[in-house]
Amino acid sequence: MNPVREHLVALLAGQFEVPRETIDDDAALGDLDLDSLARVELVVSLQEHWGIGLDDDRDSAAEVTVGRLVDRVHALIAEATGQPGAPE
């Protein structure tokens, strides 16, 4: 598992009390019973941890999947560090 996904799963399970067995790459944030405030809090937590700038509205939308959010964080980390791609 990659560090971004591990961190996201830990946040969802720990801080937001989402059962780990419901967290997979295809799970939408809205399907994980995260209300709009919780989704924004999740995005802010990711921004602070990884030192990146996510879009609070776009990246916290109910239809955003765990996999898409992981990919977005990877892309922003790569962009910020000048790396050619996201780590696996």
Side-chain angles (χ1 to χ4, degrees), residues 11-43:
L11 271 175
L12 288 168
Q15 185 173 342
F16 299 99
E17 300 179 355
V18 175
R20 283 185 182 267
E21 64 272 7
T22 65
I23 304 170
D24 63 36
D25 285 344
D26 296 325
L29 299 180
D31 294 339
L32 297 175
D33 291 328
L34 297 177
D35 63 19
S36 59
L37 179 59
R39 294 190 310 267
V40 170
E41 288 177 19
L42 175 65
V43 166

Side-chain angles (χ1 to χ4, degrees), residues 62-80:
E63 65 274 3
V64 171
T65 64
V66 169
R68 180 174 159 205
L69 193 51
V70 168
D71 290 345
R72 179 100 164 99
V73 171
H74 277 299
L76 290 169
I77 292 170
E79 182 181 305

Side-chain angles (χ1 to χ4, degrees), residues 3-16:
V4 172
R5 188 171 196 295
E6 288 177 19
H7 180 75
L8 179 55
V9 169
L11 271 175
L12 288 168
Q15 185 173 342
F16 299 99

